[in-house]
Amino acid sequence: MAGCVARRALAVGSRWWSRSLTGARGPRPLCAAGGAGAFPPAATTATRRHLSSRNRPEGKVLETVGVFEVPKQNGKYETGQLFLHSVFGYRGVVLFPWQARLYDRDVASTAPEKAENPAGHGSKEVKGKTHTYYQVLIDARDCPHISQRSQTEAVTFLANHDDSRALYAIPGLDYVSHEDILPYTSTDQVPIQHELFERFLLYDQTKAPPFVARETLRAWQEKNHPWLELSDVHRETTENIRVTVIPFYMGMREAQNSHVYWWRYCIRLENLDSDVVQLRERHWRIFSLSGTLETVRGRGVVGREPVLSKEQPAFQYSSHVSLQASSGHMWGTFRFERPDGSHFDVRIPPFSLESNKDEKTPPSGLHW
C-alpha cells in the first residue's frame, strides 16, 4: 500500500536492526541495539518477511543510527560515506577506494582457454577484471561483537627499526568490497567511534557525504601507500563455500646476511548454502622463487575452527608468510565437516606473492 509505514525489527546475528519503511522507495530510518552481526543485502528491500520485535533481546533499547540510502550499482562511494557491512553488520566509514584486479576462478571455469601456471598447481588461465574495494574504519562499539567472525586488527605493517620480526597492527581498519556496503546517512557529527575518525575526517554539512578528508588522511595514505595498497583479489567457490584471498606485500628485511620478504594475506570464507559446516583443517603449499616448496598442515585457522551457518555465513582472518625470495605462490585447501561427520575439501585459489619493484621504506610508525 503506497505511503504505508511498517515498523520492522530484523534479527541478524547478535545485532538487532529496526527500520521504519515508507513505501518501497521512501526513507528508511535505521535503528540499532546490541552488537554487530550479518546483515543480508536482501533484507534491505521493503518486501521482506516481517519479523516480530517480541524476539528482541530483553533490555535492548533501539537507538536511531541514521537513514538508509539506495546502494550504488555503478560508480564508487566517496570518502566519508557511512555504511553497514552487509556480511558482518558493523558500522563503518569509507576512507578511500582502491582499484583492484579481481581474479574470479568461478567465472574462468566456463572459459575454454587454459594454460599451466608456473607453479604447476592448476590449469585455468584467469583474467583479472577491475573491481572497487575500500579502506574503511570500523566503529569501535561494534568490534567486540564481530571479533568471533572477523579480525579487527587485520591491517599490519613492519616498523622501520632494528627488530626484523616485529609486526604492528592498527585496530579497526578493514578492506571492503563495493557490494559489501549498505550506505546510510546520519545527522551525528561524530557517527563512528574510532580514534582516527576525527583525525582523518572533518564534518562539513554543505558536502554529500558531510565528512571530508583532512590533510592528515591524505598524508597518511600517501606515506603508508606501500603496505596499505590492495592490488589483487582471488576468489573461488567449491561446494558452495567461497574463498576470497587478498595478498599484501609488506616489505623486505635483512636477517643473518640474507633477505627475508614478508606478505600478509586476508582470507574470507563464505557459506553460500543453508547447510551448516565447520572448518576443521588447513593445508597450504608455499612455492618460493628460490626453488623451495613447503607444505603446511594444521587444525583450523588462527586457532579457531569456525562454524559457517545461514545465520553466521562468513569468517574472515589474516595471516603472514615470509620467503627468502622476492616472489612465490601459495595455494591449498580447507577441510570442512558436515553435521553427519562427513568431510569435503574446499580449494584455496592460487595467488602470487610479488614484491614491489621499487623498494620503499617501510612505515616508521603511526605518527602524522
Side-chain angles (χ1 to χ4, degrees), residues 15 34 63-65 82-83 90-93 95 136-146 152 171-173 184 186 188-201 211:
R15 170 169 297 286
E63 297 178 356
T64 300
V65 171
L82 301 174
F83 70 93
Y90 63 71
R91 290 162 284 184
V93 62
L95 294 181
V136 306
L137 291 181
I138 303 173
D139 195 308
R141 293 168 293 185
D142 294 340
C143 285
H145 305 288
I146 65 171
T152 57
L173 275 181
Y184 73 93
S186 172
D188 191 345
Q189 294 190 20
V190 188
I192 301 297
Q193 291 188 12
H194 191 289
E195 61 179 344
L196 298 179
F197 183 86
E198 291 184 272
R199 286 193 187 186
F200 284 169
L201 300 168
F211 303 99

Side-chain angles (χ1 to χ4, degrees), residues 46-330:
T47 59
R48 293 299 164 187
R49 179 169 59 92
H50 173 76
L51 299 180
S52 172
S53 60
R54 62 186 171 84
N55 293 324
R56 179 160 49 91
E58 292 185 12
K60 296 296 184 182
V61 178
L62 296 177
E63 297 178 356
T64 300
V65 171
V67 178
F68 269 121
E69 297 178 319
V70 177
K72 289 185 177 182
Q73 300 300 318
N74 300 302
K76 65 178 184 292
Y77 297 103
E78 302 297 330
T79 295
Q81 176 65 60
L82 301 174
F83 70 93
L84 295 179
H85 195 294
S86 67
V87 176
F88 296 110
Y90 63 71
R91 290 162 284 184
V93 62
V94 170
L95 294 181
F96 43 81
W98 295 113
Q99 291 301 309
R101 293 185 299 273
L102 174 61
Y103 297 91
D104 193 334
R105 297 177 73 83
D106 300 329
V107 174
S109 63
T110 61
E113 185 178 9
K114 294 185 178 182
E116 282 297 320
N117 62 55
H121 50 257
S123 59
K124 297 176 184 176
E125 180 179 353
V126 185
K127 294 184 178 180
K129 64 177 182 178
T130 302
H131 195 72
T132 303
Y133 277 73
Y134 301 92
Q135 190 89 61
V136 306
L137 291 181
I138 303 173
D139 195 308
R141 293 168 293 185
D142 294 340
C143 285
H145 305 288
I146 65 171
S147 62
Q148 294 300 313
R149 313 304 304 176
S150 177
Q151 291 174 330
T152 57
E153 296 189 355
V155 176
T156 54
F157 65 97
L158 294 166
N160 186 20
H161 56 64
D162 294 336
D163 188 349
S164 62
R165 293 179 296 178
L167 289 173
Y168 290 80
I170 302 177
L173 275 181
D174 199 5
Y175 294 88
V176 177
S177 178
H178 183 82
E179 61 269 20
D180 288 338
I181 286 184
L182 297 175
Y184 73 93
T185 59
S186 172
T187 57
D188 191 345
Q189 294 190 20
V190 188
I192 301 297
Q193 291 188 12
H194 191 289
E195 61 179 344
L196 298 179
F197 183 86
E198 291 184 272
R199 286 193 187 186
F200 284 169
L201 300 168
L202 176 68
Y203 181 76
D204 184 345
Q205 63 180 356
T206 67
K207 303 292 185 180
F211 303 99
V212 296
R214 293 181 184 269
E215 184 58 37
T216 312
L217 175 58
R218 298 189 186 95
W220 181 78
Q221 179 184 9
E222 182 178 356
K223 178 179 180 180
N224 297 302
H225 187 276
W227 59 275
L228 282 176
E229 182 177 11
L230 179 156
S231 57
D232 294 342
V233 179
H234 303 264
R235 191 161 67 193
E236 184 168 5
T237 303
T238 307
E239 296 200 33
N240 290 314
I241 304 297
R242 184 164 63 193
V243 180
T244 304
V245 184
I246 308 175
F248 300 86
Y249 176 60
M250 297 176 62
M252 181 270 292
R253 287 290 179 78
E254 292 187 13
Q256 298 179 346
N257 299 321
S258 65
H259 291 168
V260 179
Y261 297 83
W262 282 85
W263 290 264
R264 75 178 183 275
Y265 53 92
C266 180
I267 292 186
R268 184 195 291 186
L269 304 167
E270 292 179 87
N271 186 356
L272 305 180
D273 201 353
S274 59
D275 296 335
V276 178
V277 296
Q278 184 169 13
L279 174 62
R280 290 301 192 186
E281 298 176 13
R282 68 187 185 279
H283 177 201
W284 282 106
R285 305 198 78 183
I286 306 167
F287 173 79
S288 172
L289 190 63
S290 63
T292 62
L293 179 61
E294 182 182 2
T295 298
V296 178
R297 289 183 178 272
R299 295 285 295 180
V301 291
V302 292
R304 301 180 187 177
E305 297 180 22
V307 174
L308 304 182
S309 64
K310 186 176 181 180
E311 293 73 27
Q312 298 283 2
F315 180 81
Q316 181 172 291
Y317 75 97
S318 289
S319 191
H320 305 87
V321 63
S322 63
L323 301 177
Q324 290 186 322
S326 59
S327 65
H329 287 82
M330 289 181 65

